[in-house]
């Protein structure tokens, strides 16, 4: 989560927002709370949003498999890719 927030770069003029949904990512780094709110996430932000939703769904149905999520996080590799939205 920290890598996603730290590497996020928003470019261009923001569109007028009429509908859709927003996601908020939060993490604690040392003694700071980092937060990032994105309307209609794309790219790595969408991947992380879907990842978090899946954790919640699996936990609600008592089917949480930590190994599955660790493997998915390793595949994402946010630290090597800068987000351009």
């Amino acid at each position: 989560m920290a890598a996603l927030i730290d590497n996020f770069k928003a470019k261009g003029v923001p569109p007028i927002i009429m509908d859709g949904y927003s996601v908020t990512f939060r993490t604690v780094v040392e003694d700071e709370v980092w937060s990032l709110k994105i309307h209609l996430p794309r790219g790595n932000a969408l991947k992380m949003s879907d990842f978090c939703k899946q954790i919640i769904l699996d936990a609600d149905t008592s089917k949480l498999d930590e190994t599955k999520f660790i493997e998915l996080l390793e595949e994402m590799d946010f630290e090597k890719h800068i987000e351009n939205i």
Side-chain angles (χ1 to χ4, degrees):
M1 197 67 69
L4 172 72
I5 293 171
D6 196 36
N7 291 326
F8 184 83
K9 304 290 182 238
K11 292 187 176 186
V13 178
I16 296 173
I17 299 171
M18 301 296 278
D19 61 357
Y21 67 100
S22 295
V23 296
T24 302
F25 300 103
R26 290 188 185 96
T27 190
V28 175
V29 177
E30 295 179 8
D31 62 346
E32 300 175 335
V33 177
W34 292 3
S35 182
L36 173 65
K37 184 175 181 176
I38 303 172
H39 183 77
L40 294 176
R42 297 179 292 178
N44 284 340
L46 179 58
K47 288 179 188 176
M48 183 59 87
S49 175
D50 291 344
F51 175 82
C52 293
K53 287 178 191 176
Q54 191 60 54
I55 289 175
I56 293 167
L57 289 172
D58 286 5
D60 281 346
T61 59
S62 300
K63 297 178 182 177
L64 190 61
D65 178 6
E66 291 177 27
T67 306
K68 170 180 130 181
F69 292 107
I70 290 170
E71 290 171 2
L72 288 171
L73 275 176
E74 289 173 352
E75 289 174 13
M76 289 185 202
D77 198 16
F78 291 121
E79 293 185 25
K80 292 184 181 176
H81 305 287
I82 301 298
E83 183 73 31
N84 291 308
I85 294 182

